[in-house]
Structures are given as structure tokens and as C-alpha cells.
């Protein structure tokens, strides 16, 4: 059964730093992996989607990588800003085409 | 264009009470989903629908029922609420087969 883990559960860094969020999954048979952002009281917003054949995707200050063989993905945030404070979730689409979610990393950017 | 909306935003129930959560989308999406989110856990799929008049079970369907009488609405019902159903419930929608799901703002439900 596919399991998705995100460590750490929470992270606090000073503004301006570059940071990396981690996501690991147990079964490499995936269609794709997505990173989402969740703000309190709001729904989830999709940030990046990486197909299983891709190694990385970039959007602005965000870069997501995928290493399917090792079951890992990272979300790199460059030059962090207080507005980046949110919970970041990763989800893999497994071999049954179901979305399996990690519990998220709560990120706090200190001004 | 409101996207995905959920009603209500908050609700407190007593054990055994029933209620219905309403999800509405104005994007003409075929697929709709209900998830629950619990502390320390990822989102879990309760039920989903691939079109008007169709529903299917997800990962954690027990204790819930759903209906999709209109394409734009997806209702989640709790017939006899239990404390274990205390959670935040999210609705999402997407085009058929699309990887991109659009989420509502969530409903925080507490069952005492």
C-alpha cells in the first residue's frame, strides 16, 4: 500500500533563506506527484505537478524534483518571504490512479 | 466565478445527529470529491463522483452517504454522527481525467 511521508511536520526559517521541503513515498509505481499549498481557512492550491517521466518542474521561486527510484521528492523555495507561510502538502497518484496524500509540512517564515 | 464553495463553514453536532454538507462548483466539472483531513494525517478520500447521478466509494466511506443529483452539486451526508467524524471536510472538483483538482475552503465539523 502506498504511503506518503513528509518530514519535518513543521519548519520555521528567517525571511530570505532558501529552503527544502521533503516528501517520500513507498511505492515507485506512480503516475505523478503534486505539491499543494494550504492556507488556514482556505482550500488547497496546486503548486506544481511532476509526471513520473519528469525529473523536475519549476514555477517562479519554486522548484520541485522527483526521484522515483528512491521514492523522494523535494520542493525548493528560493528567497523565502513571509507570504510563503502555509502548510505544504504532497500527493502521489498511485498505480490505481488514486491520490495518496502526505500529512504536510507547516512552514513559518519569520520576518 | 465562485469556483468551489462549501456550506456550512463550521458545525457542531451531538453524537447521533444527522447533517448534510453541500458542495457546489460553477466550473462545469464532471468529477467531484469529498475528503476528510485529520491532524497528522494526509487527506483521505471519502466518496467521489464521475458524473451526475453517479457516486463511488473512496478510502474511508463508512458512516457517510453522498448524492450527485445535479452536476454542479455534491452532497455529503452523515446519518448518525460519531465523535470519530470530527474532522475538516474538503470538497474538490475537476474535469474528467484531469490531474488538477480545485478545492473548496473546507468545513470544520465537531461531533460531541
Amino acid at each position: 500500500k502506498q504511503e506518503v511521508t513528509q518530514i519535518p511536520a513543521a519548519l520555521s526559517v528567517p525571511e530570505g533563506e532558501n529552503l527544502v521541503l521533503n516528501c517520500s513515498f513507498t511505492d515507485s509505481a506512480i503516475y505523478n506527484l503534486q505539491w499543494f499549498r494550504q492556507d488556514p481557512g482556505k482550500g488547497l492550491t496546486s503548486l506544481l505537478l511532476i509526471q513520473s517521466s519528469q525529473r523536475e518542474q519549476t514555477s517562479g521561486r519554486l522548484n520541485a524534483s522527483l526521484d522515483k527510484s528512491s521514492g523522494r521528492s523535494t520542493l525548493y523555495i528560493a528567497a523565502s518571504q513571509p507570504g510563503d507561510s502555509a502548510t505544504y502538502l504532497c500527493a502521489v497518484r498511485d498505480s490505481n490512479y488514486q491520490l495518496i496524500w502526505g500529512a504536510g509540512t507547516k512552514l513559518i517564515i519569520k520576518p | 466565478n465562485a469556483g468551489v464553495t462549501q456550506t456550512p463553514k463550521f458545525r457542531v453536532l451531538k453524537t447521533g445527529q444527522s447533517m448534510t454538507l453541500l458542495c457546489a462548483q460553477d466550473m462545469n466539472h464532471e468529477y467531484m470529491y469529498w475528503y476528510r483531513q485529520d491532524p497528522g494525517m494526509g487527506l483521505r478520500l471519502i466518496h467521489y463522483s464521475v458524473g451526475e447521478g453517479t457516486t463511488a466509494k473512496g478510502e474511508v466511506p463508512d458512516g457517510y452517504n453522498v448524492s450527485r443529483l445535479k452536476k454542479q452539486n455534491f452532497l455529503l451526508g452523515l446519518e448518525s454522527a460519531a465523535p470519530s467524524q470530527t474532522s475538516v471536510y474538503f470538497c474538490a472538483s475537476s474535469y474528467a481525467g484531469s490531474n488538477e483538482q480545485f478545492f473548496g475552503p473546507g468545513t470544520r465539523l465537531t461531533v460531541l
Side-chain angles (χ1 to χ4, degrees):
Chain A
K1 179 184 175 184
Q2 179 74 268
E3 293 182 358
V4 179
T5 303
Q6 292 184 250
I7 296 174
L11 181 63
S12 179
V13 300
E15 178 180 4
E17 283 197 3
N18 303 325
L19 61 99
V20 174
L21 305 181
N22 298 298
C23 174
S24 61
F25 48 96
T26 55
D27 187 344
S28 61
I30 64 170
Y31 283 97
N32 56 56
L33 182 146
Q34 297 184 66
W35 283 93
F36 292 82
R37 171 183 172 136
Q38 182 177 18
D39 293 285
K42 298 184 180 180
L44 284 68
T45 303
S46 179
L47 297 173
L48 290 164
L49 182 149
I50 311 177
Q51 299 290 355
S52 62
S53 59
Q54 297 175 321
R55 297 285 293 183
E56 64 177 349
Q57 282 285 337
T58 298
S59 177
R61 294 183 294 108
L62 305 180
N63 176 279
S65 68
L66 175 64
D67 184 342
K68 218 171 54 163
S69 61
S70 67
R72 293 183 180 181
S73 175
T74 62
L75 179 66
Y76 174 83
I77 302 177
S80 59
Q81 304 170 357
D84 295 330
S85 297
T87 297
Y88 291 81
L89 303 168
C90 75
V92 301
R93 195 168 289 278
D94 70 4
S95 55
N96 295 315
Y97 218 68
Q98 298 296 315
L99 270 180
I100 309 298
W101 296 78
T105 294
K106 184 175 182 179
L107 177 63
I108 297 174
I109 307 298
K110 298 175 290 185
Chain B
N1 189 341
V4 180
T5 58
Q6 292 183 231
T7 308
K9 289 185 169 54
F10 304 93
R11 185 72 186 268
V12 178
L13 290 178
K14 295 181 179 179
T15 297
Q17 288 185 318
S18 63
M19 79 161 294
T20 300
L21 282 66
L22 170 65
C23 176
Q25 52 93 7
D26 60 1
M27 296 172 282
N28 203 33
H29 286 165
E30 292 84 8
Y31 291 7
M32 296 187 75
Y33 313 82
W34 275 108
Y35 293 93
R36 62 177 288 173
Q37 184 180 37
D38 300 294
M41 301 181 68
L43 273 71
R44 291 181 292 170
L45 183 65
I46 304 171
H47 285 280
Y48 64 99
S49 168
V50 298
E52 182 179 324
T54 72
T55 63
K57 295 180 179 180
E59 180 185 357
V60 288
D62 293 343
Y64 305 95
N65 56 76
V66 288
S67 64
R68 184 104 181 263
L69 299 180
K70 295 182 178 181
K71 186 177 184 179
Q72 63 268 34
N73 295 336
F74 195 27
L75 279 63
L76 178 70
L78 286 73
E79 291 186 347
S80 179
S84 60
Q85 294 177 304
T86 293
S87 188
V88 180
Y89 291 85
F90 286 99
C91 175
S93 69
S94 72
Y95 288 113
S98 170
N99 287 305
E100 187 173 19
Q101 295 185 16
F102 293 81
F103 283 81
T107 295
R108 183 174 294 276
L109 175 66
T110 301
V111 183
L112 302 176

